Amino acid sequence: MNPAANPAPSATRGVMHPVLSGVGAALPSRVIGNDHFLPLDATDAWITRRTGIRTRHRLGPGETLADLAERAAREALADAGRHPHEVDHVLVCTITPDRITPGIAPELAARLGADGPPAIDLNAACSGFVYALDHACALVETGRAGCVLVCAAEALSRITDHHDRSTAVLFGDAAGAVVVTAHPTAERPVFLLGSDGRHTELLYADRDERLLRMEGREVFEFAVDNMTEQTRKVLGAGGIGLDDVDLFIGHQANARILLAVAAELGLPDARVEIAVDSVGNTSSASIPHALWQARERGRLPAGARIVMAAFGAGFVWGAGLMRWKTDRPQHDRTHRRDSDSSEDDRMHRPDSDGSAYDRTHHPETDSHEHDRTHHTPTVNPSDQGDTPCQR
């Protein structure tokens, strides 16, 4: 990143910078527990130990992704205290739209009753929300918009091979939305985006089969290394250290990935939001949903500094540094930044000591089709037939 092109945050008086001023989320009512996968020889213990996932949600008959997007967007606007008429742009990130064309964004704008704003869909896989957020911030910073609605909506159940044990247990459907508005905050958001198209075949869904295929071990290791590196870079570009971060929200692909990144960074688990346990991997919707969860748990005080990192098919990746709204919303509760071992955290997140799942395994690589075996000292004796990742 060229520092001159995106300088570190400054305290320039009178300058308006983008902030996250509202968040909302929506889930389908249908809940899929781990027992659903017993016919695939995937037990609750097997899934939880390797992923931290206990439940995920799926669209039911008659439900559309636009329905979820609308619910999430309405909540985000209400949280921000904004009317749909005030929305200058609508950005929807998704890889699983209801139609090939038109996109969800124009329909969402119409459903909300917005005054015909520009509305586009964006496809950047699991990194889509960070990409869309960067775009929204650019619109605000250049004065081309004062209020941008960013919605991530995914129905990964539409492109999941439900007979493939290595991927079927991972994915869920969800929507999350945020409102980005201009505010005379002291900091300018910082984003780093990148891609490497040489690795397309490691994670993709092609046009004919339309099912997600993944080389789990390679993706897992690349994700941990990349999100760690990009987080360090975005902190450096922002001129801050880990002690200045109130909350880290990574793409919710696997709890072990998130905790591995936190361990590499030296970031306490209590400042890492984990929502994958209740919703699974929801692609681009995972970060805004986790942000919503953090607000619901009282972990977003006014002015909180949030670091986000995502990695997905392409490969594409992104990391961002932004402030939560500086005016304390009624949703905010007592912030417990240093409650690493609080009762509330233990009740609502996978155990960080590994008792809920084993960080040396992951289902992406532990399928009947894989015969590669890596041995580590932490493998449970009962799991010797599995193929854990060397990390």
Side-chain angles (χ1 to χ4, degrees), residues 285-355:
S286 75
I287 289 180
H289 177 272
L291 181 68
W292 170 86
Q293 176 179 278
R295 188 205 64 186
E296 291 296 291
R297 295 181 183 176
R299 305 184 76 197
L300 282 181
R305 187 183 277 119
I306 304 164
V307 175
M308 297 159 280
F311 172 89
F315 286 148
V316 294
W317 57 79
L321 168 65
M322 281 194 76
R323 286 277 193 178
W324 178 243
K325 52 188 172 183
T326 56
D327 298 319
R328 182 175 294 277
Q330 70 179 82
H331 296 288
D332 281 355
R333 305 179 182 92
T334 303
H335 179 54
R336 293 178 296 179
R337 169 170 165 169
D338 297 320
S339 57
D340 296 45
S341 59
S342 71
E343 179 70 19
D344 182 68
D345 281 346
R346 289 198 302 270
M347 289 174 61
H348 290 92
R349 55 191 282 131
D351 297 333
S352 59
D353 63 0
S355 60

Side-chain angles (χ1 to χ4, degrees), residues 76-291:
L77 288 167
D79 188 39
R82 296 285 181 152
H83 191 278
H85 292 318
E86 298 179 72
V87 175
D88 298 311
H89 282 256
V90 176
L91 306 174
V92 174
C93 36
T94 184
I95 60 172
T96 53
D98 293 327
R99 309 178 184 88
I100 295 177
T101 191
I104 293 177
E107 180 180 355
L108 176 60
R111 284 180 175 225
L112 295 173
D115 291 332
I120 61 168
D121 284 14
L122 182 153
N123 180 341
C126 299
S127 300
F129 178 73
V130 177
Y131 271 70
L133 201 56
D134 173 66
H135 186 58
C137 288
L139 289 169
V140 171
E141 287 178 317
T142 58
R144 298 177 64 186
C147 178
V148 182
L149 174 65
V150 178
C151 182
E154 300 287 7
L156 291 182
S157 61
R158 292 173 173 172
I159 58 173
T160 297
D161 184 347
H162 298 290
H163 301 290
D164 178 10
R165 184 177 72 153
S166 65
T167 57
V169 303
L170 298 174
F171 302 114
D173 304 340
V178 297
V179 177
V180 178
T181 55
H183 194 282
T185 182
E187 287 187 358
R188 176 184 181 183
V190 179
F191 286 87
L192 294 174
L193 307 175
S195 70
D196 188 345
R198 295 173 299 175
H199 303 292
T200 300
E201 295 304 311
L202 296 180
L203 178 56
Y204 69 93
D206 65 36
R207 191 169 67 176
D208 296 324
E209 186 184 38
R210 294 181 180 272
L211 294 175
L212 283 170
R213 299 301 177 193
M214 176 167 53
E215 295 295 331
R217 181 180 296 111
E218 290 86 347
V219 172
F220 182 94
E221 296 184 353
F222 203 112
V224 172
D225 293 340
N226 181 271
M227 288 201 295
T228 300
E229 178 184 7
Q230 298 308 314
T231 299
R232 286 180 175 140
K233 285 183 176 180
V234 84
L235 291 176
I240 66 171
L242 286 173
D243 289 341
D244 301 308
V245 175
D246 292 289
L247 195 64
F248 171 78
I249 303 180
H251 167 50
Q252 308 284 308
N254 181 315
R256 286 178 45 258
I257 291 178
L258 294 170
L259 292 175
V261 172
E264 293 279 351
L265 293 170
L267 191 63
D269 289 354
R271 283 190 273 150
V272 180
E273 191 67 24
I274 295 183
V276 68
D277 57 321
S278 60
V279 298
N281 182 344
T282 59
S283 190
S284 67
S286 75
I287 289 180
H289 177 272
L291 181 68

